[in-house]
Amino acid sequence: MTSTSTSPSTPPSTPHSFQVDLRGLVDLLSHHLYSSPRVYVRELLQNAVDAITARHSLDPAAEVRIRLSASGGRVTIEDSGIGLTAAEAHSLLATIGRSSKRGGEGTDLNEQGLEATRQEFLGQFGIGLLACFVVARQIRVVTRSARDPQAAPVEWLATDDGSYTVRELPHEARPEPGTTVVLEARPGAAEWAVAAKVEELARDYGSLLPYDITFDDGEGGEPRPVTDRPAVWDRPFPTPAARRVALAGHCAQLFGFTPLDSIDLDLPVAGVRGVAYVLPEPTSPAHRAGHRVHLKGMLLTDRADNLLPDWAFFVRAVLDTDTLRPTASRENLYDDETLAAVREALGARVRGWLAELAASDPERLAAFLQVHHLGVKSMARHDSELLGLMLPWLPFETSDGSMSLQEFAAAHTDIHFTRTVEEFRQIAPIAAAHGLGVINAGYTYDADLLALLPAVRPELKVTELDAGAVTERLDPVPTAAELALAPFLATARTRLEAQGCDVVLRAFQPVAVPALYLDDRQARQERDRTAALESADSLWSGILGALRGSAPRARLVLNHNNPLIRRIAALPDEALTGTAVESLYGQALLMSQRPLRPADSTLLNRAFLGLLEWATHSTDSRDAQEDQK
C-alpha cells in the first residue's frame, strides 16, 4: 500500500505572502465594490471618528477635534485621535483586511470582542486608507501615538503605484497625539477634491456623527460646522405643530417633497431611531423606494430598499442604527434575521400610525387615503385587524357609487363583484336600477379584500357576479308576450348558437339599453375548452370531450322595454331578423369592452355588411317603385 504522507527527508515548504497589485485593487474598489468615488470622504471621516473613539477609551478627557479642508487639489483631514506608531503604520495602513479596531497589534478579537468592536467603531472591514486611492495619486499620513507618548511622530507616504515609505519625524513635527491625512488628487479625479464638493459630501455623510467636525475651504474664513446634531427627530420642540413643521422642512431638504405626515420610527431595543415621511403623491406598489440609513451617525446609503415591508411603498424613511449590519462596501444593509425583525417592527409602526389616525384624526386619514388607498388595501390583505379598522374608510367603486365597504354593506347583505372593470361598467347601471349590489373588483387588491370580508363581517355573503344572478333580478316578460315572440327568439338562438351564446328575453331599466351581454368565468372556461377541442388531435379531443361541463353559457339578454327590440321582433323577414340579432350581439359585446375572438369579429363584419346591403337594397326598391310611377 502506497503511503501519501510526506517523507521525513522532504524539506518543509516555505510560506509566502500574497502580493497585492494596488492599481488592480483600486480598479476593483472603484468599479465593483463602491458605487462612486464619493465614498472616499466617508472613509476619511470614518477613520477620524474611530480614532477619536479609540482615544476616548484610553483617555475619556482627551480633546475632540476633527477638521476637514480642501484647496489646490488637496484634501486634508486632521484629528486628535489615538494615532499610530511606526510599527502600527507598517502593519495597519498598508495591509488589506487588517483593522486598527482589533484587540491589539497582530491579534484578533474573539467573537464577543468583535461584537463589541462593531458596537463601538464605524469601520469593520479593514480596507482603510487604501480605498482613498479611488481619487488620490498620493496619500501622506503624519501621525503620533497616544498609547506611547515617547514614540516619535511618523510619516507614512504612499503612491498609487503600490509603493510606500515610513519614516520617523522630529517630535516638533507633531507635538500632540493624533493624525493628519493629506490626499493629492490624481489626474481625472480633480472634481472630487474641489472644496464645495468635499464640503457637500462631508455634510451628506457626516451630519449625524457623534463628534463635532468642521470644514475649511482655505479662503481664510471661519471653519464651518459639518455635523448637525441631534437629529431633527430627536430635538425638543415647544409644540407638536412646531415639530411637524420642522420635520416637513427636513423632508423637503432631504427628499425634495413636503410630506403628508411623518411617522416616528423609534425602536430602542433594536437600536433604531428615525422617521418615515408619507409621500404626497400616489406611487406604484411595484416601486421600491430608497430609504436613507445612517450607521452610528455615518450615512450608509440613501437607497436602502429592504428596510421596510414592500407594502409600505408610500413612505420614505430616514433613520440611524447601531445594530444593523452593513455590506462589505458599507453602502447597503445586509439582509439577515436582524434586519427582518427590524423590518417587521417598522411595519408595525406604520400600521399603528394608521390605527391612531382612524381613531383620533379622520380628516387626516381621509386625506391620506385619497392619495394612498392602494397601499392600505395592500396591507389589509394580510391583516384582518387592519381591514376591520379601515372598513369605514377604504373607497370602492360600487353600483351605488364610490363608497366604503361599510356603507355599501349597510344597504346590501348579498354582495356581488365583477373581476374586470369592463364587466362592472356594463352591468352597474342595470344593477343599480334593479337593487343588485355589485362592487368593481377589477382594481388591484379589491378582489382579495372582498374574499376576506366575510371573515370580518360574517353576516355578509360575497359572491362573484354570474349571468344567472343578473338574469334572475331582471323582470320577466309576461308569458303571453313571450309565447308570441317564440319564433323570433328561436331565430335569435339559432343565429348565436355558433358563438356559444344563449338568448333570453327580460324587461329591465334603463329602457335605452336594447341588449345586455352577460358572461361569467365558468362560461369563459367552457368556451376555451371548446376552442381547444376544435384544434386538438384525436387523443386530446377524447380527453377534452370527457371534460365537457354543464356550466351555463354566455347570455344575450334582450330588453323587452326597448322599442327597437319590439320592432326587430316584428320583422317579417327571417334573414333580416337574424342579421339584426347579430348586430345586437356585436353592439352588446362592444359595450362590455371584452376582447373580440376571431369568430366575433367575423360575425360583426357579416352583420354590418348585411345591414348595409339591406339598407341599399331597400333604397333601390323604393327608387324602382318611384320610376314605375
Side-chain angles (χ1 to χ4, degrees), residues 199-223:
E199 183 176 13
E200 174 193 346
L201 294 176
R203 292 183 188 279
D204 196 36
Y205 279 115
S207 61
L208 299 184
L209 286 172
Y211 306 122
D212 290 338
I213 301 172
T214 59
F215 179 79
D216 186 354
D217 59 10
E219 296 183 359
E222 285 293 320

Side-chain angles (χ1 to χ4, degrees), residues 99-285:
S99 172
S100 59
K101 298 91 179 177
R102 295 184 182 266
E105 184 180 345
T107 63
D108 289 348
L109 293 171
N110 58 25
E111 285 298 318
Q112 184 177 357
L114 182 58
E115 186 58 36
T117 294
R118 285 176 176 163
Q119 295 293 326
E120 188 177 4
F121 294 102
L122 296 174
Q124 298 177 23
F125 295 93
I127 294 176
L129 279 177
L130 295 183
C132 294
F133 277 113
V134 296
V135 298
R137 179 188 66 83
Q138 176 181 279
I139 300 177
R140 180 174 183 260
V141 178
V142 175
T143 181
R144 184 166 187 172
S145 175
R147 290 193 186 96
D148 184 1
Q150 303 304 316
V154 176
E155 179 195 66
W156 181 87
L157 183 66
T159 58
D160 61 359
D161 63 0
S163 63
Y164 75 93
T165 61
V166 177
R167 66 187 180 102
E168 293 188 350
L169 301 176
H171 284 269
E172 59 269 17
R174 186 173 183 96
E176 299 295 331
T179 301
T180 300
V181 179
V182 181
L183 307 184
E184 288 190 11
R186 59 183 174 80
E191 62 179 300
W192 298 104
V194 175
K197 187 68 169 180
V198 175
E199 183 176 13
E200 174 193 346
L201 294 176
R203 292 183 188 279
D204 196 36
Y205 279 115
S207 61
L208 299 184
L209 286 172
Y211 306 122
D212 290 338
I213 301 172
T214 59
F215 179 79
D216 186 354
D217 59 10
E219 296 183 359
E222 285 293 320
R224 296 182 288 271
V226 169
T227 46
D228 186 20
R229 302 184 317 274
V232 64
W233 54 82
D234 284 330
R235 296 175 189 172
F237 293 95
T239 63
R243 186 174 189 270
R244 283 198 297 269
V245 170
L247 288 173
H250 177 251
C251 177
Q253 181 182 12
L254 205 60
F255 295 125
F257 65 84
T258 301
L260 280 177
D261 207 347
S262 58
I263 308 167
D264 284 323
L265 304 177
D266 185 12
L267 303 175
V269 175
V272 172
R273 179 76 175 149
V275 63
Y277 295 114
V278 182
L279 292 166
E281 297 178 352
T283 185
S284 168

Side-chain angles (χ1 to χ4, degrees), residues 150-470:
Q150 303 304 316
V154 176
E155 179 195 66
W156 181 87
L157 183 66
T159 58
D160 61 359
D161 63 0
S163 63
Y164 75 93
T165 61
V166 177
R167 66 187 180 102
E168 293 188 350
L169 301 176
H171 284 269
E172 59 269 17
R174 186 173 183 96
E176 299 295 331
T179 301
T180 300
V181 179
V182 181
L183 307 184
E184 288 190 11
R186 59 183 174 80
E191 62 179 300
W192 298 104
V194 175
K197 187 68 169 180
V198 175
E199 183 176 13
E200 174 193 346
L201 294 176
R203 292 183 188 279
D204 196 36
Y205 279 115
S207 61
L208 299 184
L209 286 172
Y211 306 122
D212 290 338
I213 301 172
T214 59
F215 179 79
D216 186 354
D217 59 10
E219 296 183 359
E222 285 293 320
R224 296 182 288 271
V226 169
T227 46
D228 186 20
R229 302 184 317 274
V232 64
W233 54 82
D234 284 330
R235 296 175 189 172
F237 293 95
T239 63
R243 186 174 189 270
R244 283 198 297 269
V245 170
L247 288 173
H250 177 251
C251 177
Q253 181 182 12
L254 205 60
F255 295 125
F257 65 84
T258 301
L260 280 177
D261 207 347
S262 58
I263 308 167
D264 284 323
L265 304 177
D266 185 12
L267 303 175
V269 175
V272 172
R273 179 76 175 149
V275 63
Y277 295 114
V278 182
L279 292 166
E281 297 178 352
T283 185
S284 168
H287 175 67
R288 296 176 66 87
H291 306 291
R292 190 175 175 91
V293 179
H294 296 258
L295 179 63
K296 304 182 185 73
M298 179 74 77
L299 177 67
L300 185 70
T301 180
D302 56 6
R303 296 188 297 273
D305 59 4
N306 56 355
L307 181 65
L308 290 176
D310 290 342
W311 52 257
F313 57 85
F314 50 84
V315 299
R316 294 284 300 277
V318 52
L319 56 80
D320 189 22
T321 176
D322 57 14
T323 58
L324 298 179
R325 290 176 56 195
T327 58
S329 65
R330 295 194 293 281
E331 293 188 293
N332 213 331
L333 294 170
Y334 188 78
D335 210 335
D336 56 8
E337 293 180 359
T338 302
L339 179 57
V342 167
R343 182 164 51 236
E344 183 177 350
L346 293 178
R349 288 301 170 94
V350 177
R351 286 198 302 271
W353 169 78
L354 284 171
E356 182 180 350
L357 286 188
S360 62
D361 201 339
E363 289 186 2
R364 284 169 65 199
L365 178 62
F368 165 75
L369 288 177
Q370 186 176 4
V371 179
H372 294 297
H373 61 274
L374 197 61
V376 177
K377 287 181 177 181
S378 174
M379 285 190 291
R381 293 181 304 152
H382 308 291
D383 192 330
S384 59
E385 181 180 351
L386 181 64
L387 176 59
L389 179 69
M390 291 289 107
L391 270 180
W393 312 102
L394 290 176
F396 285 82
E397 186 177 9
T398 78
S399 53
D400 294 345
S402 180
M403 61 180 61
S404 71
L405 283 179
Q406 180 162 297
E407 293 172 317
F408 190 71
H412 304 278
T413 55
D414 287 345
I415 296 177
H416 301 273
F417 66 91
T418 63
R419 290 190 178 273
T420 65
V421 175
E422 295 77 17
E423 186 178 3
F424 172 81
R425 289 176 179 170
Q426 184 197 24
I427 199 65
I430 298 166
H434 292 267
L436 185 66
V438 181
I439 294 179
N440 180 6
Y443 296 121
T444 306
Y445 307 133
D446 285 5
D448 295 335
L449 292 179
L450 289 172
L452 296 172
L453 187 57
V456 179
R457 298 282 299 273
E459 73 276 12
L460 298 178
K461 180 182 178 182
V462 180
T463 56
E464 184 174 354
L465 185 70
D466 59 40
V470 178

